[in-house]
Amino acid sequence: MQPHQTRLRVRYAETDQMGVVYYANYLVWMEVARVEYCKALGFRYKDMELEDGVLLAVAEAQCRYLYPARFDEEVIVDTRVTSANPRMVSFGYEMRLAEGARKLATAATRHIFCNREMKAVRLPAKYWTAFGIR
Amino acid sequence: MQPHQTRLRVRYAETDQMGVVYYANYLVWMEVARVEYCKALGFRYKDMELEDGVLLAVAEAQCRYLYPARFDEEVIVDTRVTSANPRMVSFGYEMRLAEGARKLATAATRHIFCNREMKAVRLPAKYWTAFGIR
Amino acid sequence: MQPHQTRLRVRYAETDQMGVVYYANYLVWMEVARVEYCKALGFRYKDMELEDGVLLAVAEAQCRYLYPARFDEEVIVDTRVTSANPRMVSFGYEMRLAEGARKLATAATRHIFCNREMKAVRLPAKYWTAFGIR
Amino acid sequence: MQPHQTRLRVRYAETDQMGVVYYANYLVWMEVARVEYCKALGFRYKDMELEDGVLLAVAEAQCRYLYPARFDEEVIVDTRVTSANPRMVSFGYEMRLAEGARKLATAATRHIFCNREMKAVRLPAKYWTAFGIR
């Protein structure tokens, strides 16, 4: 599937005393990128939760940090679905600076579709096309 | 009412590139202190939410920053109820370093009792004594 | 001085189990708005820190929460300098939903200009006009 | 090397609207556990940064989420060094509920020793024993 591009600007709150972005915040950016990606796929993650009661519980996250991001830099997150079936979906991410294109990090997350009680469920068929499930 | 003392240690995640604790994190500490304070008052905030469906929605927060806290320092938060009635409760906070007692900040929050739909409700009478309501 | 408008979208990470934005995150938004406001005033906060070694240490923050913001909503933050002199600057904020213009919160922060050692300094004259200091 | 046990209590701020702990916060807990682990190894991470100018830059983080943690639960993080040499160190983590010992997550991080300019450096020999480097 086509990658989707999300742009965000590093917040002061996201830095730590090392003078660079604190490592957990890359996972926040990945979530922001996932939400935008869903919109690009044709649905709102919010609606999937509210209307269909389907949540994306994170089963695994992994991030490789290549170069530190700093306050006020613009970051581009390229996101794509790397695999999907009615039980789970995996995303791949590549983060880089908008200026100069320096690669910051590569990352991946794996998610299980579940209901509000956090029990695994099958993804309703109406979402299959969006995630590339046949 | 008696103040309650909460101790916490500054996390690396809580610092910013200024080398001190980011200002929004004091509000997180105040919340940690409120939860501990409720336990000292004889009930668990979690149970009030889960069993009685009563939430403490923040209506106002104010913090005066006197001296910056740094990574790995131990901080003491003194918390007390400054006023309460069946509709709302106010807390006062004083934060200082455990070592040397340097005062870090004074703060206050005002909360409205509400239900899960965020509508204002009257606090159930069983909690009145805990909050000093007669 | 003219208010500056910042737009941001509520992140999943910014919500809490109440289903609304956690109260400390409004202070993060206010910081994002301040940084954008500085750009609108004609300088980058980053450069003021890096090149002139002048930091804006928060001395006080206050926020009145009127209506809860929720995941994926677009929020507009109107920011303006409410008072300034070579020693300190105060900002006022008004936050509302982009859709429907419901007012979410009003807030204020007061900052002291200081150096990297967190000692109070006078703001270099070249920044006076930007902050409306005569 | 011996694992070290860190205890912490889930903060309200750490939950999200799914009613469970937001996934990025596990990385914050891992950092809290690393800092405590260093103390158990006989030195303070703060001093290594301040006195020797040696920082632990994260090169990779990975977390497998097994069961969701909820507000106010006590969490135990077992941490240990899984490999180390004068250039880098890896940590392994296991997180579980204090009550009932349900396993929450397993995780790993890999770090590169670097200086304040974020350049790779060799770990000073005085820290070798602590990290189990011979």
Side-chain angles (χ1 to χ4, degrees), chain D residues 59-70:
Chain D
E60 191 167 359
Q62 181 271 339
C63 188
R64 211 173 270 252
Y65 304 86
L66 306 173
Y67 190 76
R70 289 169 197 276

Side-chain angles (χ1 to χ4, degrees), chain C residues 50-66:
Chain C
L50 280 177
E51 292 167 20
D52 293 291
V54 176
L55 287 67
L56 279 177
V58 185
E60 191 167 359
Q62 180 272 338
C63 188
R64 209 174 273 252
Y65 304 87
L66 306 173

Side-chain angles (χ1 to χ4, degrees), chain D residues 3-124:
Chain D
H4 177 74
Q5 203 176 88
T6 297
R7 282 164 180 269
L8 45 86
R9 195 163 288 276
V10 177
R11 299 172 170 190
Y12 207 93
E14 293 170 341
T15 63
D16 64 23
Q17 68 176 41
M18 223 180 264
V20 300
V21 172
Y22 184 71
Y23 82 133
N25 292 322
Y26 289 74
L27 276 69
V28 177
W29 296 350
M30 286 148 62
E31 166 246 302
V32 171
R34 277 198 302 279
V35 170
E36 277 209 15
Y37 185 68
C38 289
K39 278 178 198 162
L41 292 180
F43 69 97
R44 296 198 302 171
Y45 178 69
K46 176 162 73 166
D47 296 340
M48 192 166 87
E49 265 201 24
L50 280 177
E51 290 168 21
D52 294 290
V54 176
L55 288 67
L56 279 177
V58 185
E60 191 167 359
Q62 181 271 339
C63 188
R64 211 173 270 252
Y65 304 86
L66 306 173
Y67 190 76
R70 289 169 197 276
F71 168 57
D72 208 29
E73 289 180 333
E74 196 184 10
V75 174
I76 294 172
V77 187
D78 282 316
T79 312
R80 62 202 179 87
V81 169
T82 51
S83 78
N85 65 50
R87 293 287 179 198
M88 51 138 290
V89 57
S90 294
F91 293 91
Y93 312 83
E94 200 175 284
M95 293 166 256
R96 58 194 152 84
L97 292 180
E99 205 177 299
R102 181 103 190 209
K103 205 191 277 188
L104 298 171
T106 57
T109 55
R110 193 164 52 81
H111 306 257
I112 290 162
F113 299 114
C114 67
N115 62 17
R116 274 189 248 283
E117 286 71 42
M118 302 296 280
K119 298 277 174 233
V121 295
R122 275 177 76 84
L123 182 70

